[in-house]
Amino acid sequence: MLANIRIVLVETSHPGNIGAVARAMKNMCMTELYLVQPKVFPSAEATARASGADDLLANAILCDSIQEAVADCEIVIGASARSRSISVPELPPRECAEKMVVEAQDKKIAILFGRENSGLKNHELDLCQSLLAIPSNPEYSSLNLAAAVQVVCYELRVASGIEAAKPKELENPLASSAQMESFFEHLYQTLDEIGFLNPEKSTSIMRRLRRLYHRTNLDTKELDILRGILKKSTAVLHKKI
Ligand code: SAH
């Protein structure tokens, strides 16, 4: 479905930015890159900044006009930092991405990114059904071109529901509720035995300790270590007595 969404860069001046865009796209599983009259392309600088995403550069489609780049698209979105007087809806990236991944099931979509120094012109924005604005510092709202593409592609990837890289498997499973309860019982007995618990305050202390240990998501190995410490401390106490 992301294959139906293309990134269109309009008259990009710095080839390094084109490379960085290719990298940003490939990181997020986006493949379709269109270049409208780039100042310098192909370029060694673009390839260097693409850093392994040069397949996207090699497959990039060069166009003479935005019209040509979006001709077969049913939906065109313009990414713009500046709030425009044009009365087209302006969406933040998350909302826009959520809508676009649904539309992309049976439509082609283009997202336009403007020139580094002057963005997109009003007559170019006239081609767009909506604008996409990344919320940013109102006094310094313009992101680097590739950074703006990165934010948008990230939101598209999340919205498309592609499974993100799985978190690393835990070395040991997390302690179960039953294991935690048995630990708390052990902890209570030990604290009682060593004379730490004041009968009037024992309930509130135990509640605080529960909260503390629950916060740390103990795994079974860590729980074993804590229980080992409890066992040892009572053993030492009994020896002394
Ligand atoms: N100086 C230009 C901005 C150029 S940044 C201007 O004032 O318009 C290059 C491109 O990155 C912009 O045309 C736009 O497509 C995108 N971009 C940068 N910041 C953005 C933002 N906050 N929201 C949406 N797109 C942004």
Side-chain angles (χ1 to χ4, degrees):
M1 159 217 314
L2 290 181
N4 276 340
I5 306 180
R6 72 188 59 164
I7 299 296
V8 180
L9 303 185
V10 180
E11 293 183 10
T12 309
S13 320
H14 300 290
N17 277 337
I18 300 180
V21 164
R23 180 178 186 173
M25 289 174 65
K26 188 164 177 173
N27 282 147
M28 298 299 139
C29 304
M30 304 271 300
T31 51
E32 306 303 300
L33 176 60
Y34 285 59
L35 304 173
V36 177
Q37 301 211 10
K39 220 174 203 164
V40 189
F41 190 80
S43 131
E45 204 184 332
T47 307
R49 290 286 300 279
S51 181
D54 27 358
D55 51 326
L56 262 79
L57 295 181
N59 294 326
I61 312 265
L62 282 164
C63 303
D64 283 332
S65 66
I66 301 182
Q67 283 81 352
E68 186 189 328
V70 305
D72 58 335
C73 292
E74 286 92 345
I75 299 178
V76 181
I77 312 264
S80 175
R82 280 176 288 157
S83 209
R84 313 284 183 138
S85 46
I86 304 171
S87 63
V88 286
E90 194 179 286
L91 297 173
R94 187 154 306 170
E95 207 179 319
C96 183
E98 281 163 3
K99 286 189 178 182
M100 287 314 116
V101 294
V102 176
E103 300 286 4
Q105 285 167 14
D106 59 356
K107 295 183 190 75
K108 286 200 188 307
I109 298 165
I111 308 181
L112 310 183
F113 289 84
R115 303 153 187 83
E116 291 94 329
N117 55 2
S118 57
L120 291 165
K121 300 182 171 51
N122 281 344
H123 74 269
E124 294 167 338
L125 291 171
D126 287 342
L127 295 165
C128 304
Q129 285 97 330
S130 39
L131 301 187
L132 184 165
I134 300 165
S136 49
N137 179 351
E139 274 131 47
Y140 191 67
S141 63
S142 170
L143 279 71
N144 163 267
L145 172 61
V149 172
Q150 183 74 81
V151 170
V152 172
C153 291
Y154 168 72
E155 290 297 348
L156 286 166
R157 178 178 161 83
V158 172
S160 75
I162 298 173
E163 218 180 314
K166 284 208 175 114
K168 239 176 101 193
E169 293 254 322
L170 287 174
E171 207 182 327
N172 299 293
L174 288 184
S176 68
S177 168
Q179 288 167 325
M180 288 302 289
E181 285 311 307
S182 134
F183 165 68
F184 289 135
E185 181 57 36
H186 192 171
L187 180 64
Y188 175 80
Q189 279 166 10
T190 309
L191 295 179
D192 193 33
E193 247 175 90
I194 65 175
F196 179 80
L197 287 179
N198 169 345
E200 278 161 36
K201 293 189 181 152
S202 65
T203 312
S204 81
I205 295 255
M206 282 312 294
R207 190 160 286 140
R208 277 175 194 278
L209 287 171
R210 276 175 168 273
R211 225 171 38 198
L212 165 69
Y213 284 112
H214 276 312
R215 255 201 327 260
T216 62
N217 287 329
L218 293 173
D219 70 25
T220 48
K221 182 82 195 160
E222 292 161 341
L223 205 66
D224 279 350
I225 295 171
L226 288 174
R227 296 196 68 149
I229 294 171
L230 295 180
K231 238 188 237 164
K232 188 80 186 174
S233 49
T234 39
V236 168
L237 183 77
H238 289 311
K239 248 190 230 162
K240 278 197 178 156
I241 286 170

